[in-house]
mmCIF file of all heavy atoms in Angstrom:
data_model
loop_
_atom_site.group_PDB
_atom_site.id
_atom_site.type_symbol
_atom_site.label_atom_id
_atom_site.label_comp_id
_atom_site.label_asym_id
_atom_site.label_seq_id
_atom_site.Cartn_x
_atom_site.Cartn_y
_atom_site.Cartn_z
ATOM 1 N N ALA A 5 4.314 4.767 17.761
ATOM 2 C CA ALA A 5 5.445 3.865 17.585
ATOM 3 C C ALA A 5 4.952 2.495 17.145
ATOM 4 O O ALA A 5 3.790 2.125 17.371
ATOM 5 C CB ALA A 5 6.244 3.747 18.880
ATOM 6 N N ALA A 6 5.838 1.729 16.502
ATOM 7 C CA ALA A 6 5.496 0.366 16.084
ATOM 8 C C ALA A 6 6.763 -0.425 15.832
ATOM 9 O O ALA A 6 7.833 0.137 15.574
ATOM 10 C CB ALA A 6 4.620 0.378 14.838
ATOM 11 N N ARG A 7 6.617 -1.761 15.891
ATOM 12 C CA ARG A 7 7.688 -2.681 15.517
ATOM 13 C C ARG A 7 7.114 -3.712 14.550
ATOM 14 O O ARG A 7 6.002 -4.201 14.758
ATOM 15 C CB ARG A 7 8.257 -3.409 16.746
ATOM 16 C CG ARG A 7 9.011 -2.504 17.702
ATOM 17 C CD ARG A 7 9.523 -3.309 18.892
ATOM 18 N NE ARG A 7 10.252 -2.481 19.841
ATOM 19 C CZ ARG A 7 11.535 -2.212 19.764
ATOM 20 N NH1 ARG A 7 12.267 -2.752 18.794
ATOM 21 N NH2 ARG A 7 12.116 -1.450 20.658
ATOM 22 N N PHE A 8 7.866 -4.020 13.492
ATOM 23 C CA PHE A 8 7.476 -5.033 12.524
ATOM 24 C C PHE A 8 8.600 -6.055 12.386
ATOM 25 O O PHE A 8 9.777 -5.695 12.423
ATOM 26 C CB PHE A 8 7.235 -4.409 11.138
ATOM 27 C CG PHE A 8 5.885 -3.771 10.959
ATOM 28 C CD1 PHE A 8 5.588 -2.557 11.568
ATOM 29 C CD2 PHE A 8 4.920 -4.369 10.155
ATOM 30 C CE1 PHE A 8 4.356 -1.959 11.399
ATOM 31 C CE2 PHE A 8 3.684 -3.776 9.970
ATOM 32 C CZ PHE A 8 3.394 -2.568 10.593
ATOM 33 N N ARG A 9 8.205 -7.303 12.167
ATOM 34 C CA ARG A 9 9.180 -8.347 11.871
ATOM 35 C C ARG A 9 8.637 -9.189 10.724
ATOM 36 O O ARG A 9 7.544 -9.760 10.819
ATOM 37 C CB ARG A 9 9.447 -9.228 13.085
ATOM 38 C CG ARG A 9 10.493 -10.316 12.833
ATOM 39 C CD ARG A 9 10.884 -11.014 14.117
ATOM 40 N NE ARG A 9 9.789 -11.740 14.713
ATOM 41 C CZ ARG A 9 9.447 -13.002 14.374
ATOM 42 N NH1 ARG A 9 10.127 -13.627 13.417
ATOM 43 N NH2 ARG A 9 8.457 -13.598 14.975
ATOM 44 N N ALA A 10 9.373 -9.261 9.614
ATOM 45 C CA ALA A 10 8.972 -10.098 8.486
ATOM 46 C C ALA A 10 8.988 -11.566 8.903
ATOM 47 O O ALA A 10 9.908 -12.006 9.589
ATOM 48 C CB ALA A 10 9.881 -9.867 7.296
ATOM 49 N N LEU A 11 7.976 -12.328 8.473
ATOM 50 C CA LEU A 11 7.849 -13.719 8.892
ATOM 51 C C LEU A 11 8.502 -14.696 7.934
ATOM 52 O O LEU A 11 8.674 -15.871 8.268
ATOM 53 C CB LEU A 11 6.367 -14.079 9.056
ATOM 54 C CG LEU A 11 5.629 -13.303 10.144
ATOM 55 C CD1 LEU A 11 4.173 -13.737 10.207
ATOM 56 C CD2 LEU A 11 6.305 -13.494 11.497
ATOM 57 N N THR A 12 8.868 -14.251 6.731
ATOM 58 C CA THR A 12 9.499 -15.120 5.753
ATOM 59 C C THR A 12 10.304 -14.278 4.776
ATOM 60 O O THR A 12 10.051 -13.078 4.641
ATOM 61 C CB THR A 12 8.434 -15.937 4.984
ATOM 62 O OG1 THR A 12 9.076 -16.729 3.981
ATOM 63 C CG2 THR A 12 7.430 -15.013 4.313
ATOM 64 N N ARG A 13 11.255 -14.919 4.119
ATOM 65 C CA ARG A 13 12.012 -14.251 3.067
ATOM 66 C C ARG A 13 11.318 -14.351 1.717
ATOM 67 O O ARG A 13 11.688 -13.671 0.766
ATOM 68 C CB ARG A 13 13.427 -14.836 2.972
ATOM 69 C CG ARG A 13 14.293 -14.545 4.190
ATOM 70 C CD ARG A 13 15.698 -15.064 3.978
ATOM 71 N NE ARG A 13 16.552 -14.753 5.116
ATOM 72 C CZ ARG A 13 17.223 -13.613 5.254
ATOM 73 N NH1 ARG A 13 17.119 -12.684 4.317
ATOM 74 N NH2 ARG A 13 17.980 -13.391 6.308
ATOM 75 N N ILE A 14 10.329 -15.207 1.634
ATOM 76 C CA ILE A 14 9.596 -15.404 0.379
ATOM 77 C C ILE A 14 8.643 -14.236 0.163
ATOM 78 O O ILE A 14 7.889 -13.859 1.075
ATOM 79 C CB ILE A 14 8.829 -16.727 0.385
ATOM 80 C CG1 ILE A 14 9.797 -17.899 0.569
ATOM 81 C CG2 ILE A 14 8.006 -16.894 -0.893
ATOM 82 C CD1 ILE A 14 9.113 -19.227 0.771
ATOM 83 N N SER A 15 8.668 -13.660 -1.038
ATOM 84 C CA SER A 15 7.808 -12.517 -1.323
ATOM 85 C C SER A 15 7.000 -12.769 -2.587
ATOM 86 O O SER A 15 7.346 -13.624 -3.412
ATOM 87 C CB SER A 15 8.639 -11.237 -1.476
ATOM 88 O OG SER A 15 9.532 -11.343 -2.567
ATOM 89 N N LEU A 16 5.931 -12.020 -2.734
ATOM 90 C CA LEU A 16 5.048 -12.123 -3.886
ATOM 91 C C LEU A 16 4.938 -10.758 -4.533
ATOM 92 O O LEU A 16 4.642 -9.766 -3.857
ATOM 93 C CB LEU A 16 3.660 -12.594 -3.438
ATOM 94 C CG LEU A 16 2.562 -12.607 -4.505
ATOM 95 C CD1 LEU A 16 2.862 -13.662 -5.565
ATOM 96 C CD2 LEU A 16 1.204 -12.875 -3.854
ATOM 97 N N ARG A 17 5.197 -10.695 -5.830
ATOM 98 C CA ARG A 17 5.036 -9.433 -6.544
ATOM 99 C C ARG A 17 3.558 -9.117 -6.671
ATOM 100 O O ARG A 17 2.781 -9.953 -7.131
ATOM 101 C CB ARG A 17 5.692 -9.490 -7.922
ATOM 102 C CG ARG A 17 7.203 -9.555 -7.846
ATOM 103 C CD ARG A 17 7.857 -9.172 -9.160
ATOM 104 N NE ARG A 17 9.303 -9.109 -9.010
ATOM 105 C CZ ARG A 17 9.960 -8.047 -8.566
ATOM 106 N NH1 ARG A 17 9.291 -6.944 -8.235
ATOM 107 N NH2 ARG A 17 11.277 -8.064 -8.450
ATOM 108 N N LEU A 18 3.182 -7.908 -6.278
ATOM 109 C CA LEU A 18 1.766 -7.562 -6.244
ATOM 110 C C LEU A 18 1.558 -6.111 -6.663
ATOM 111 O O LEU A 18 1.873 -5.191 -5.911
ATOM 112 C CB LEU A 18 1.207 -7.766 -4.824
ATOM 113 C CG LEU A 18 -0.292 -7.513 -4.658
ATOM 114 C CD1 LEU A 18 -1.084 -8.562 -5.421
ATOM 115 C CD2 LEU A 18 -0.672 -7.512 -3.185
ATOM 116 N N PRO A 19 1.019 -5.877 -7.865
ATOM 117 C CA PRO A 19 0.643 -4.505 -8.239
ATOM 118 C C PRO A 19 -0.679 -4.132 -7.553
ATOM 119 O O PRO A 19 -1.558 -4.979 -7.365
ATOM 120 C CB PRO A 19 0.481 -4.591 -9.759
ATOM 121 C CG PRO A 19 0.125 -6.012 -10.025
ATOM 122 C CD PRO A 19 0.796 -6.834 -8.961
ATOM 123 N N VAL A 20 -0.792 -2.879 -7.176
ATOM 124 C CA VAL A 20 -1.979 -2.388 -6.477
ATOM 125 C C VAL A 20 -2.407 -1.072 -7.109
ATOM 126 O O VAL A 20 -1.564 -0.220 -7.409
ATOM 127 C CB VAL A 20 -1.698 -2.163 -4.969
ATOM 128 C CG1 VAL A 20 -2.933 -1.624 -4.264
ATOM 129 C CG2 VAL A 20 -1.240 -3.457 -4.315
ATOM 130 N N ALA A 21 -3.717 -0.907 -7.306
ATOM 131 C CA ALA A 21 -4.259 0.353 -7.806
ATOM 132 C C ALA A 21 -5.536 0.670 -7.040
ATOM 133 O O ALA A 21 -6.382 -0.204 -6.841
ATOM 134 C CB ALA A 21 -4.539 0.269 -9.299
ATOM 135 N N PHE A 22 -5.654 1.912 -6.584
ATOM 136 C CA PHE A 22 -6.847 2.315 -5.838
ATOM 137 C C PHE A 22 -6.984 3.827 -5.929
ATOM 138 O O PHE A 22 -6.152 4.507 -6.537
ATOM 139 C CB PHE A 22 -6.753 1.857 -4.382
ATOM 140 C CG PHE A 22 -5.569 2.393 -3.618
ATOM 141 C CD1 PHE A 22 -5.683 3.519 -2.819
ATOM 142 C CD2 PHE A 22 -4.332 1.760 -3.698
ATOM 143 C CE1 PHE A 22 -4.598 4.004 -2.120
ATOM 144 C CE2 PHE A 22 -3.235 2.233 -3.007
ATOM 145 C CZ PHE A 22 -3.371 3.364 -2.209
ATOM 146 N N ARG A 23 -8.036 4.360 -5.330
ATOM 147 C CA ARG A 23 -8.254 5.804 -5.290
ATOM 148 C C ARG A 23 -8.396 6.267 -3.844
ATOM 149 O O ARG A 23 -8.991 5.568 -3.015
ATOM 150 C CB ARG A 23 -9.492 6.207 -6.093
ATOM 151 C CG ARG A 23 -9.301 6.047 -7.596
ATOM 152 C CD ARG A 23 -10.559 6.391 -8.367
ATOM 153 N NE ARG A 23 -10.366 6.200 -9.795
ATOM 154 C CZ ARG A 23 -10.009 7.154 -10.648
ATOM 155 N NH1 ARG A 23 -9.826 8.387 -10.203
ATOM 156 N NH2 ARG A 23 -9.848 6.901 -11.928
ATOM 157 N N VAL A 24 -7.842 7.432 -3.571
ATOM 158 C CA VAL A 24 -7.941 8.052 -2.257
ATOM 159 C C VAL A 24 -9.027 9.122 -2.311
ATOM 160 O O VAL A 24 -9.040 9.959 -3.216
ATOM 161 C CB VAL A 24 -6.594 8.669 -1.838
ATOM 162 C CG1 VAL A 24 -6.746 9.480 -0.558
ATOM 163 C CG2 VAL A 24 -5.547 7.571 -1.651
ATOM 164 N N ALA A 25 -9.936 9.080 -1.347
ATOM 165 C CA ALA A 25 -11.049 10.028 -1.277
ATOM 166 C C ALA A 25 -10.822 10.980 -0.106
ATOM 167 O O ALA A 25 -10.765 10.539 1.050
ATOM 168 C CB ALA A 25 -12.377 9.290 -1.100
ATOM 169 N N GLN A 26 -10.666 12.261 -0.384
ATOM 170 C CA GLN A 26 -10.432 13.283 0.643
ATOM 171 C C GLN A 26 -11.370 14.468 0.422
ATOM 172 O O GLN A 26 -11.993 14.592 -0.640
ATOM 173 C CB GLN A 26 -8.985 13.767 0.588
ATOM 174 C CG GLN A 26 -7.935 12.701 0.772
ATOM 175 C CD GLN A 26 -7.933 12.057 2.147
ATOM 176 O OE1 GLN A 26 -7.790 10.860 2.286
ATOM 177 N NE2 GLN A 26 -8.126 12.875 3.180
ATOM 178 N N THR A 27 -11.432 15.347 1.406
ATOM 179 C CA THR A 27 -12.156 16.599 1.260
ATOM 180 C C THR A 27 -11.167 17.683 0.863
ATOM 181 O O THR A 27 -10.193 17.937 1.565
ATOM 182 C CB THR A 27 -12.854 16.998 2.568
ATOM 183 O OG1 THR A 27 -13.756 15.960 2.951
ATOM 184 C CG2 THR A 27 -13.632 18.299 2.393
ATOM 185 N N ARG A 28 -11.403 18.308 -0.276
ATOM 186 C CA ARG A 28 -10.546 19.378 -0.776
ATOM 187 C C ARG A 28 -11.429 20.521 -1.234
ATOM 188 O O ARG A 28 -12.330 20.334 -2.029
ATOM 189 C CB ARG A 28 -9.673 18.885 -1.933
ATOM 190 C CG ARG A 28 -8.737 19.941 -2.528
ATOM 191 C CD ARG A 28 -7.832 19.279 -3.548
ATOM 192 N NE ARG A 28 -6.978 20.251 -4.217
ATOM 193 C CZ ARG A 28 -7.281 20.809 -5.386
ATOM 194 N NH1 ARG A 28 -8.411 20.491 -6.019
ATOM 195 N NH2 ARG A 28 -6.452 21.676 -5.949
ATOM 196 N N ALA A 29 -11.177 21.712 -0.691
ATOM 197 C CA ALA A 29 -11.995 22.895 -1.000
ATOM 198 C C ALA A 29 -13.465 22.621 -0.726
ATOM 199 O O ALA A 29 -14.344 23.086 -1.463
ATOM 200 C CB ALA A 29 -11.780 23.330 -2.441
ATOM 201 N N GLY A 30 -13.732 21.865 0.338
ATOM 202 C CA GLY A 30 -15.099 21.601 0.752
ATOM 203 C C GLY A 30 -15.831 20.550 -0.059
ATOM 204 O O GLY A 30 -17.023 20.313 0.165
ATOM 205 N N ARG A 31 -15.145 19.886 -1.000
ATOM 206 C CA ARG A 31 -15.793 18.903 -1.856
ATOM 207 C C ARG A 31 -15.009 17.594 -1.861
ATOM 208 O O ARG A 31 -13.827 17.565 -1.510
ATOM 209 C CB ARG A 31 -15.908 19.442 -3.292
ATOM 210 C CG ARG A 31 -16.665 20.736 -3.409
ATOM 211 C CD ARG A 31 -16.708 21.234 -4.844
ATOM 212 N NE ARG A 31 -17.395 20.292 -5.720
ATOM 213 C CZ ARG A 31 -17.542 20.491 -7.023
ATOM 214 N NH1 ARG A 31 -17.011 21.560 -7.625
ATOM 215 N NH2 ARG A 31 -18.194 19.594 -7.757
ATOM 216 N N LEU A 32 -15.688 16.522 -2.281
ATOM 217 C CA LEU A 32 -15.027 15.226 -2.411
ATOM 218 C C LEU A 32 -14.008 15.273 -3.542
ATOM 219 O O LEU A 32 -14.315 15.711 -4.653
ATOM 220 C CB LEU A 32 -16.068 14.145 -2.697
ATOM 221 C CG LEU A 32 -15.528 12.731 -2.933
ATOM 222 C CD1 LEU A 32 -14.878 12.186 -1.672
ATOM 223 C CD2 LEU A 32 -16.650 11.811 -3.406
ATOM 224 N N HIS A 33 -12.779 14.836 -3.257
ATOM 225 C CA HIS A 33 -11.708 14.838 -4.247
ATOM 226 C C HIS A 33 -11.126 13.436 -4.312
ATOM 227 O O HIS A 33 -10.690 12.878 -3.298
ATOM 228 C CB HIS A 33 -10.619 15.842 -3.862
ATOM 229 C CG HIS A 33 -9.518 15.966 -4.877
ATOM 230 N ND1 HIS A 33 -9.627 16.747 -5.995
ATOM 231 C CD2 HIS A 33 -8.291 15.386 -4.934
ATOM 232 C CE1 HIS A 33 -8.522 16.660 -6.710
ATOM 233 N NE2 HIS A 33 -7.686 15.838 -6.093
ATOM 234 N N LEU A 34 -11.101 12.836 -5.518
ATOM 235 C CA LEU A 34 -10.592 11.481 -5.717
ATOM 236 C C LEU A 34 -9.237 11.528 -6.400
ATOM 237 O O LEU A 34 -9.076 12.211 -7.414
ATOM 238 C CB LEU A 34 -11.573 10.659 -6.559
ATOM 239 C CG LEU A 34 -12.994 10.522 -6.003
ATOM 240 C CD1 LEU A 34 -13.842 9.664 -6.933
ATOM 241 C CD2 LEU A 34 -12.982 9.945 -4.593
ATOM 242 N N THR A 35 -8.276 10.789 -5.855
ATOM 243 C CA THR A 35 -6.912 10.771 -6.378
ATOM 244 C C THR A 35 -6.499 9.342 -6.696
ATOM 245 O O THR A 35 -6.547 8.472 -5.820
ATOM 246 C CB THR A 35 -5.934 11.362 -5.353
ATOM 247 O OG1 THR A 35 -6.325 12.689 -5.026
ATOM 248 C CG2 THR A 35 -4.510 11.370 -5.905
ATOM 249 N N PRO A 36 -6.060 9.055 -7.935
ATOM 250 C CA PRO A 36 -5.603 7.697 -8.259
ATOM 251 C C PRO A 36 -4.212 7.421 -7.691
ATOM 252 O O PRO A 36 -3.351 8.293 -7.661
ATOM 253 C CB PRO A 36 -5.585 7.694 -9.790
ATOM 254 C CG PRO A 36 -5.373 9.120 -10.167
ATOM 255 C CD PRO A 36 -6.033 9.947 -9.100
ATOM 256 N N VAL A 37 -4.013 6.181 -7.254
ATOM 257 C CA VAL A 37 -2.725 5.729 -6.741
ATOM 258 C C VAL A 37 -2.419 4.381 -7.394
ATOM 259 O O VAL A 37 -3.271 3.488 -7.414
ATOM 260 C CB VAL A 37 -2.733 5.571 -5.211
ATOM 261 C CG1 VAL A 37 -1.352 5.138 -4.706
ATOM 262 C CG2 VAL A 37 -3.177 6.851 -4.537
ATOM 263 N N ARG A 38 -1.216 4.241 -7.937
ATOM 264 C CA ARG A 38 -0.783 2.991 -8.545
ATOM 265 C C ARG A 38 0.549 2.580 -7.932
ATOM 266 O O ARG A 38 1.455 3.409 -7.818
ATOM 267 C CB ARG A 38 -0.627 3.150 -10.055
ATOM 268 C CG ARG A 38 -1.947 3.253 -10.821
ATOM 269 C CD ARG A 38 -1.934 4.309 -11.869
ATOM 270 N NE ARG A 38 -1.908 5.657 -11.286
ATOM 271 C CZ ARG A 38 -1.787 6.757 -11.994
ATOM 272 N NH1 ARG A 38 -1.629 6.702 -13.291
ATOM 273 N NH2 ARG A 38 -1.792 7.935 -11.392
ATOM 274 N N CYS A 39 0.650 1.309 -7.535
ATOM 275 C CA CYS A 39 1.862 0.812 -6.876
ATOM 276 C C CYS A 39 2.249 -0.539 -7.460
ATOM 277 O O CYS A 39 1.395 -1.297 -7.907
ATOM 278 C CB CYS A 39 1.649 0.621 -5.375
ATOM 279 S SG CYS A 39 0.907 1.985 -4.496
ATOM 280 N N ARG A 40 3.531 -0.820 -7.405
ATOM 281 C CA ARG A 40 4.006 -2.175 -7.653
ATOM 282 C C ARG A 40 5.178 -2.437 -6.725
ATOM 283 O O ARG A 40 5.970 -1.542 -6.419
ATOM 284 C CB ARG A 40 4.392 -2.390 -9.110
ATOM 285 C CG ARG A 40 5.447 -1.462 -9.664
ATOM 286 C CD ARG A 40 5.635 -1.686 -11.156
ATOM 287 N NE ARG A 40 6.563 -0.733 -11.755
ATOM 288 C CZ ARG A 40 7.873 -0.911 -11.845
ATOM 289 N NH1 ARG A 40 8.398 -2.019 -11.370
ATOM 290 N NH2 ARG A 40 8.641 -0.005 -12.407
ATOM 291 N N GLY A 41 5.253 -3.663 -6.250
ATOM 292 C CA GLY A 41 6.301 -4.019 -5.318
ATOM 293 C C GLY A 41 6.170 -5.471 -4.896
ATOM 294 O O GLY A 41 5.426 -6.252 -5.509
ATOM 295 N N ARG A 42 6.882 -5.856 -3.840
ATOM 296 C CA ARG A 42 6.876 -7.232 -3.340
ATOM 297 C C ARG A 42 6.304 -7.235 -1.931
ATOM 298 O O ARG A 42 6.684 -6.409 -1.097
ATOM 299 C CB ARG A 42 8.290 -7.818 -3.361
ATOM 300 C CG ARG A 42 8.858 -7.949 -4.775
ATOM 301 C CD ARG A 42 10.219 -8.616 -4.804
ATOM 302 N NE ARG A 42 11.244 -7.827 -4.123
ATOM 303 C CZ ARG A 42 11.834 -8.159 -2.996
ATOM 304 N NH1 ARG A 42 11.494 -9.271 -2.363
ATOM 305 N NH2 ARG A 42 12.763 -7.382 -2.474
ATOM 306 N N ILE A 43 5.428 -8.193 -1.661
ATOM 307 C CA ILE A 43 4.716 -8.229 -0.390
ATOM 308 C C ILE A 43 5.125 -9.457 0.413
ATOM 309 O O ILE A 43 5.353 -10.530 -0.153
ATOM 310 C CB ILE A 43 3.184 -8.207 -0.639
ATOM 311 C CG1 ILE A 43 2.432 -7.881 0.646
ATOM 312 C CG2 ILE A 43 2.700 -9.497 -1.269
ATOM 313 C CD1 ILE A 43 0.981 -7.578 0.420
ATOM 314 N N ARG A 44 5.274 -9.259 1.736
ATOM 315 C CA ARG A 44 5.590 -10.362 2.637
ATOM 316 C C ARG A 44 4.750 -10.233 3.901
ATOM 317 O O ARG A 44 4.493 -9.117 4.373
ATOM 318 C CB ARG A 44 7.068 -10.338 3.031
ATOM 319 C CG ARG A 44 8.014 -10.777 1.934
ATOM 320 C CD ARG A 44 9.390 -11.087 2.504
ATOM 321 N NE ARG A 44 10.171 -9.894 2.753
ATOM 322 C CZ ARG A 44 11.255 -9.857 3.533
ATOM 323 N NH1 ARG A 44 11.643 -10.932 4.187
ATOM 324 N NH2 ARG A 44 11.931 -8.735 3.681
ATOM 325 N N PRO A 45 4.323 -11.351 4.495
ATOM 326 C CA PRO A 45 3.610 -11.276 5.771
ATOM 327 C C PRO A 45 4.554 -10.846 6.886
ATOM 328 O O PRO A 45 5.756 -11.122 6.849
ATOM 329 C CB PRO A 45 3.088 -12.697 5.981
ATOM 330 C CG PRO A 45 4.050 -13.556 5.210
ATOM 331 C CD PRO A 45 4.461 -12.744 4.019
ATOM 332 N N ALA A 46 3.998 -10.181 7.883
ATOM 333 C CA ALA A 46 4.812 -9.684 8.992
ATOM 334 C C ALA A 46 4.021 -9.785 10.283
ATOM 335 O O ALA A 46 2.798 -9.999 10.291
ATOM 336 C CB ALA A 46 5.226 -8.240 8.740
ATOM 337 N N ARG A 47 4.729 -9.639 11.388
ATOM 338 C CA ARG A 47 4.112 -9.536 12.708
ATOM 339 C C ARG A 47 4.409 -8.139 13.236
ATOM 340 O O ARG A 47 5.536 -7.655 13.108
ATOM 341 C CB ARG A 47 4.676 -10.599 13.652
ATOM 342 C CG ARG A 47 4.068 -10.577 15.051
ATOM 343 C CD ARG A 47 4.544 -11.780 15.838
ATOM 344 N NE ARG A 47 4.060 -13.014 15.217
ATOM 345 C CZ ARG A 47 4.622 -14.209 15.397
ATOM 346 N NH1 ARG A 47 5.708 -14.318 16.149
ATOM 347 N NH2 ARG A 47 4.118 -15.278 14.819
#
C-alpha cells in the first residue's frame, strides 16, 4: 500500500527513454521504453 500527495500544481514536461534488462529464456533481454508526460514533486 502507499499514499501520494502532489506538492505543487506546477509541472514540467519531461520525455524519458531507457532500457529494461530482464532474464528471458535464460539470457539477458533488453527492452526499450520511451515515455513523455508531465512531472511533479510529491510526498
Side-chain angles (χ1 to χ4, degrees):
R7 292 179 180 273
F8 279 74
R9 182 171 64 85
L11 297 180
T12 177
R13 293 184 178 273
I14 300 172
S15 62
L16 173 67
R17 291 198 174 275
L18 183 67
V20 179
F22 59 96
R23 290 177 181 265
V24 172
Q26 302 295 138
T27 301
R28 180 174 176 265
R31 302 178 62 181
L32 177 65
H33 184 82
L34 302 181
T35 302
V37 182
R38 287 137 290 174
C39 311
R40 57 186 175 89
R42 296 184 295 112
I43 195 169
R44 286 195 281 163
R47 181 172 296 158

